[in-house]
Amino acid sequence: MRRTTLVALLAVCASAMADGQLDVITLAEQREATPPAGRDATAELESIVVTGTRTEHRQSDSPVPVQVISARDIVRSGARDVAELLEREGAVHVGRAAGRGTTIEIQGLSSEHVLVLVDGRRLNGRINGAIDLSRLRLAGVERIEIVKGPSSALYGADALGGVVNIITRDEPEPASLRLRGGSQAQEAFTHAGLATRRWQLQGAGGYTRARGYDLDPARAGEDGADTAGLVLSASASRPLGRHGDLGLDFAWQLDDSQRLDSGSGGALYDTTKRIEAVRGAVAPRFAVAGGELRLEAWYQRYHDQFLQLQRGSDGNSTDEETLDQVAAAGLQFDRGFGDHRLIVGAEHQLERLEADRIAQRAERDRQALFAQDEFTLLDGRLSLVPGLRYDRDSQFGDQFSPKLALRLELAADWLLRASYGHGYRAPDFKQLLLRFENGAAGYRVDGNQDLQPESSRGANLALTWLPGPHTEMHLSAFGQRVRDLIDIVLVESGEVQRYSYANISSARLWGAELQAQWRPRPPLQLRLGYSYLHSRDEDTGEALSGRPAHRVHAGVYLQQARWALGLRGNWVGERRFTVDTANGPPTAAGTASAYSLFDLRGVWRGWPAAEFALGIKNLFD
């Protein structure tokens, strides 16, 4: 367990402390973090969400449950990146995976089954099937929306477990500066916005640096890397006549890391990694035929350079590059017809991967058509949302993904939501074509071109109780069956272990979640969450590897006009790990003990334009 990290916020002109953290937050962030007089917890239910149906709804009116991590939550958390935020606030399981950063698990399905979007556009650059959420900075993020359960009917491949949609700010804000210093990391971010008669412009930039750490000094090698990163982003919008507007987005990020790895036989390896990511989008919208037509075209480029050199040896080294490029275009039209709201859309995507780890240059194209009808009955108390999506994959052919969702107002303070849907995920290029050997760790991984797509069928049931302006409770249950689940398997033992990928038949997952929030008095807010997961490999009867059965998170917050105090905690139950073999049952790979993390953070507003915070992470070590 990482040693407790003390983080303290200092004034801009004050001398830096050895273990300090400084946040200078904009007035706009303060307004979002502090509701005006008379506003209470019910206001959070009125957040506008888009991810559940691809159309705007108030959060309480959405037929599909959408969890929102608001701007207020982001400011209050003090998190540096999306991974840290979800770990503390997201009511999902976030873990650290060697070689691929931070990963997320939703309803028992791992990162490769969770689709990560930025402003509704899928993010590329997966490592071993997972997006490293720690590389996604929170600068410029307005909110994060999480939809749990199969969502391929709207979003296509990779959305078996759910969708995480990171939504950036779209309104210009005054200039701001945020400085942080900690015992292991420092960062500086700036943001500015400008509005003219024709344009709304905003830009952001930042620099981060972190030192590595070593959990066991007696063991050779390090656990954490020395990292440095740069981020630049810009967006613009302008009206197009009286009935349209144009949005432009651009972002660039560069991350460098260095670490010392240990290998078999006492060998030591200097490992260097550089990641450069670029994304840009053009998105015009028009009022057409009584509805709205949205067009967009976007491009993403993810360049990964990896160098590993053995100390004292000229022959055992690894020098690899990965270039992942995605270009896409799409359109969506939605219009209301009486009690109906219909959306139809089409998408085209081209992906190309060039990597030293794969046997050949890989390329695939995908086309999709989707439609959804949201209609109301019983004087608006009942909403039904059937939807269907057709995807064509140049490698794996046709896929149909239906979904049906409903929302029913049982009473003035009771809401029932239910959904059933299909999900699917095609094998990625590395699972199909990988050719990788890690001499430091003594293993080799080969792709498998005979893999079949994964598919799932799942149902979700959610009951919401809103007895008053200061109390809310959400109880949900889910069940899902996944066929042809892809996992890494041990193919051959020896001096160099050889692994590959295989479809391990099917698995069943079911569970329940409870989320509650209560404000007994306006300054005090209490949050509590619990989730239970049961997973089973249908071939072996064993639980799926690495899934905790129980998780608990809680928070206590005090908010006053000039200061605020928050204590958050997460407890994750025991996890058993196994390694699948090509022939025979899985072999045990160890058990991870239950652990807990508690964070304490205090905030003081010293001047109208600045805010200072002092926090301790991992309070009890």
Side-chain angles (χ1 to χ4, degrees), residues 15 48 56 59 88 123 148 158 189 207 237 344 381 444 458 461 520:
S15 60
I48 301 299
E56 292 186 349
Q59 187 181 3
R88 264 61 172 187
L123 198 66
K148 300 179 180 181
D158 307 328
F189 278 96
Y207 172 78
S237 63
V344 294
R381 291 177 49 239
R444 171 183 165 187
L461 183 67

Side-chain angles (χ1 to χ4, degrees), residues 4-31:
T4 303
T5 300
L6 174 66
V7 287
L9 286 207
L10 308 173
V12 177
C13 298
S15 60
M17 295 173 59
D19 291 319
Q21 169 185 321
L22 175 135
D23 283 349
V24 182
I25 298 176
T26 67
L27 282 171
E29 286 176 312
Q30 291 186 40
R31 288 195 295 268

Side-chain angles (χ1 to χ4, degrees), residues 347-364:
E347 295 176 354
H348 175 78
Q349 176 181 305
L350 175 65
E351 181 177 11
R352 178 176 296 170
L353 181 70
E354 301 176 49
D356 297 321
R357 291 188 179 192
I358 63 175
Q360 63 193 63
R361 190 175 77 173
E363 186 173 299
R364 70 159 48 124

Side-chain angles (χ1 to χ4, degrees), residues 278-291:
V278 178
R279 64 177 187 268
V282 179
R285 299 187 302 174
F286 303 94
V288 177

Side-chain angles (χ1 to χ4, degrees), residues 46-50 53 55-63 341 374:
E46 304 309 311
S47 299
I48 301 299
V49 297
V50 297
T53 60
T55 55
E56 292 186 349
H57 286 278
R58 294 188 306 172
Q59 187 181 3
S60 57
D61 292 338
S62 174
R341 186 176 183 180
E374 180 182 342

Side-chain angles (χ1 to χ4, degrees), residues 488-499:
I488 194 164
V489 299
L490 177 63
V491 176
E492 182 180 330
S493 298
E495 184 176 345
V496 176
Q497 304 269 29
R498 191 166 72 88
Y499 295 87

Side-chain angles (χ1 to χ4, degrees), residues 298-318:
W298 52 269
Y299 169 78
Q300 293 185 21
R301 183 180 187 271
Y302 179 89
H303 188 200
D304 184 340
Q305 302 171 74
F306 178 88
L307 176 64
Q308 189 176 70
L309 301 174
Q310 182 179 354
R311 290 185 176 180
S313 173
D314 297 330
N316 197 1
S317 64
T318 303

